[in-house]
Amino acid sequence: MSDRATIAVLDVGKTNVKLWAASADGALLEQAETRNTVLPGPPWQHHDLQGLGDWVGETLAGFCRRHPIEVIVPVGHGSGGVLVGADPDARGGGAALPMIDYEDGCPPELDADYAALAGSFEDRGSRVMMAMTHAARQLLRIQRADADAFADAQHYLNVAQYWGWWFSGVAASEFSAMGAQTHLWNVPRRRWTPIVEAQGWGRLLPDFRPAWAPLGPLRDSLAQRFGLPRGLTILTGAHDSSINFHRYRAAGLTDFTLVSTGTWIVAMSREADTAASDQSRSATINADLTGEPVGGALAMGGREFSMIAGKDWQGEHVDPAALARIVQQGTMALPSFSNNEGQFPGSAGRGRIIGPPPANPSERAALALMQSALLTVTCADVLAGGERLILDGTFLREPLYAPLVAALRPGRPTAFSDEPQGVVMGALQLAGHDAPSRPALTLDPVTPIQIPGLAQYGRRWRINAEEQGA
């Protein structure tokens, strides 16, 4: 990669997909975004890989006409994967069977069988979570639904590595993606889990490559189809939250817990004792980019926020006066409004509001923000990782989020990253891996918001939330 190269970063999230063009020194040059469309069955709710591939190719071609792009780095969420055939150009994005949407309901008979096959907590790296969250459960469903198509398939690829294969034709596994609750990879022992051997899936799982390793050049057929320059280099790529966590570790930080926010609240810390993880909650054993264990805790915070704020919320900032009224009158949103129970076992789908109901959209938004902050603090407390809490991600667009989190954990340091695109910055570090330098990282301390009665409110909420799923 030349010193003047431009890097394209494909960031595939559950809800949205973004394509970035950035210079090697971290300047963001252009961005495009689209919905990650989910289609109904048959055979199940699935992602529109064909349509998304068309968007990626056409958008990337436009970027390449305006910028000297040399490298493409794919990044993806951790709860999906694609069973592929031999040809990335085949209809459906090369998938042997459609990519399961992880929020699709799990058939009850499959759910019962999977629980018996999934192995120990150490094997799985998490408890068995909602719907079709885990790659191993997706594979079992696909295998049982169409044994012939399953037998003809060539590889099972995590989200980022699927797009790496789509670009290059080269299949790979990668530590952070396989370690993101796939239930296929035992992170502490660095081995495939028992379900892989028992079901004969080993043939589908490619050899591991480092996240920063080149897979190969862009496929000729893609270059011809979209008018892309030949010679683009495709990297293996990584799990989105893990690549963002890597950014902080590469800057030399220790003794910290990172909370990334979006559809999910994802807390991660190298200081957490993964052997002591609370298996009754959404505690996780993730992998960093070198395959080493990283403790984690999850809650579906973005989904909770949208369900509480309601359809009338249009992205306005929360009114501090409305937040204070919520606390004063004791209005609480108890989890979980989504079908993920997060840190409160048995609470999935049982979310409710107690106390005086919100009087208007402003109070609903304040209540949703309060829920987001309380879930953030809960994830950090359950994880019990590094002392300093660092916040980043989508929730920081709301100015009151960080001060509210800091106020709910008095006496403990809270900071936030002033870099709104941490995943992209982490991806750029992969592209520059051969010429490493310690990345610049600015952290701003957070001043807690002052709301009378907030500490007591937070304690009452935690007691009520614990009882919600009991």
Side-chain angles (χ1 to χ4, degrees), residues 358-395:
N360 50 50
S362 179
E363 288 191 1
R364 289 195 70 89
L367 185 62
L369 176 63
M370 182 65 75
Q371 177 88 329
S372 301
L374 288 163
L375 289 174
T376 297
V377 173
T378 301
C379 284
D381 288 347
V382 168
L383 181 57
E387 174 67 9
R388 177 164 54 166
L389 187 66
I390 301 174
L391 306 173
D392 81 1
T394 304
F395 287 8

Side-chain angles (χ1 to χ4, degrees), residues 23-103:
S23 63
D25 63 3
L28 300 178
L29 307 174
E30 191 169 355
Q31 181 226 338
E33 184 172 346
T34 190
R35 296 285 292 179
N36 196 351
T37 302
V38 173
L39 303 175
W44 38 67
Q45 280 182 197
H46 58 278
H47 287 280
D48 181 12
L49 296 177
Q50 182 75 40
L52 185 54
D54 291 343
W55 179 85
V56 169
E58 292 163 5
T59 306
L60 180 62
F63 279 19
C64 288
R65 288 191 291 270
R66 295 183 289 276
H67 309 286
I69 292 173
E70 295 183 14
V71 177
I72 302 173
V73 184
V75 179
H77 68 87
S79 295
V82 188
L83 187 71
V84 302
D87 183 6
D89 289 320
R91 181 149 187 85
L97 284 163
M99 176 187 174
I100 296 176
D101 168 26
Y102 74 73
E103 292 189 88

Side-chain angles (χ1 to χ4, degrees), residues 43-268:
W44 38 67
Q45 280 182 197
H46 58 278
H47 287 280
D48 181 12
L49 296 177
Q50 182 75 40
L52 185 54
D54 291 343
W55 179 85
V56 169
E58 292 163 5
T59 306
L60 180 62
F63 279 19
C64 288
R65 288 191 291 270
R66 295 183 289 276
H67 309 286
I69 292 173
E70 295 183 14
V71 177
I72 302 173
V73 184
V75 179
H77 68 87
S79 295
V82 188
L83 187 71
V84 302
D87 183 6
D89 289 320
R91 181 149 187 85
L97 284 163
M99 176 187 174
I100 296 176
D101 168 26
Y102 74 73
E103 292 189 88
D104 191 30
C106 183
E109 64 279 7
L110 180 75
D111 205 22
D113 290 350
Y114 182 75
L117 293 169
S120 68
F121 180 83
E122 183 189 72
D123 286 322
R124 301 188 310 268
S126 77
R127 64 181 303 174
V128 177
M129 295 163 62
M130 65 170 198
M132 296 303 302
T133 297
H134 310 294
R137 185 153 47 181
Q138 295 169 20
L139 274 174
L140 189 64
R141 184 174 182 180
I142 294 170
Q143 184 179 40
R144 292 185 175 184
D146 193 333
D148 291 339
F150 193 91
D152 291 339
Q154 298 295 303
H155 307 288
Y156 182 82
L157 305 172
N158 301 120
V159 172
Q161 288 67 53
Y162 162 75
W163 287 101
W165 172 82
W166 186 83
F167 280 122
S168 69
V170 178
S173 297
E174 186 274 329
F175 286 123
S176 70
M178 275 295 175
Q181 296 77 64
T182 65
H183 292 187
L184 298 170
W185 181 247
N186 182 317
V187 173
R189 299 189 181 276
R190 289 180 176 254
R191 67 187 185 197
W192 298 115
T193 57
I195 195 172
V196 172
E197 181 177 357
Q199 300 299 315
W201 294 342
R203 70 173 185 86
L204 297 169
L205 302 170
D207 292 340
F208 283 86
R209 293 197 185 203
W212 53 83
L215 291 177
L218 183 77
R219 295 187 293 114
D220 283 343
S221 60
L222 278 187
Q224 294 172 6
R225 178 180 168 194
F226 294 108
L228 293 164
R230 287 174 168 78
L232 293 175
T233 298
I234 316 303
L235 302 191
T236 303
H239 172 230
D240 50 10
S241 296
S242 299
I243 205 172
N244 187 38
F245 184 77
H246 171 73
R247 185 169 67 95
Y248 293 86
R249 295 284 299 178
L253 268 64
T254 58
D255 194 22
F256 71 97
T257 295
L258 176 66
V259 176
S260 300
T261 57
T263 300
W264 291 87
I265 294 170
V266 182
M268 303 178 75

Side-chain angles (χ1 to χ4, degrees), residues 311-397:
K311 65 181 186 305
D312 293 329
W313 183 73
Q314 300 298 320
E316 308 92 339
H317 290 326
V318 169
D319 178 5
L323 196 60
R325 286 196 301 274
I326 289 297
V327 172
Q328 182 179 17
Q329 66 196 24
T331 301
M332 296 183 181
L334 301 182
S336 296
F337 289 78
S338 71
N339 63 348
N340 176 263
E341 59 192 20
Q343 299 305 319
F344 300 99
S347 69
R350 300 176 65 180
R352 61 192 176 101
I353 295 173
I354 62 172
N360 50 50
S362 179
E363 288 191 1
R364 289 195 70 89
L367 185 62
L369 176 63
M370 182 65 75
Q371 177 88 329
S372 301
L374 288 163
L375 289 174
T376 297
V377 173
T378 301
C379 284
D381 288 347
V382 168
L383 181 57
E387 174 67 9
R388 177 164 54 166
L389 187 66
I390 301 174
L391 306 173
D392 81 1
T394 304
F395 287 8
L396 288 173
R397 296 173 186 169

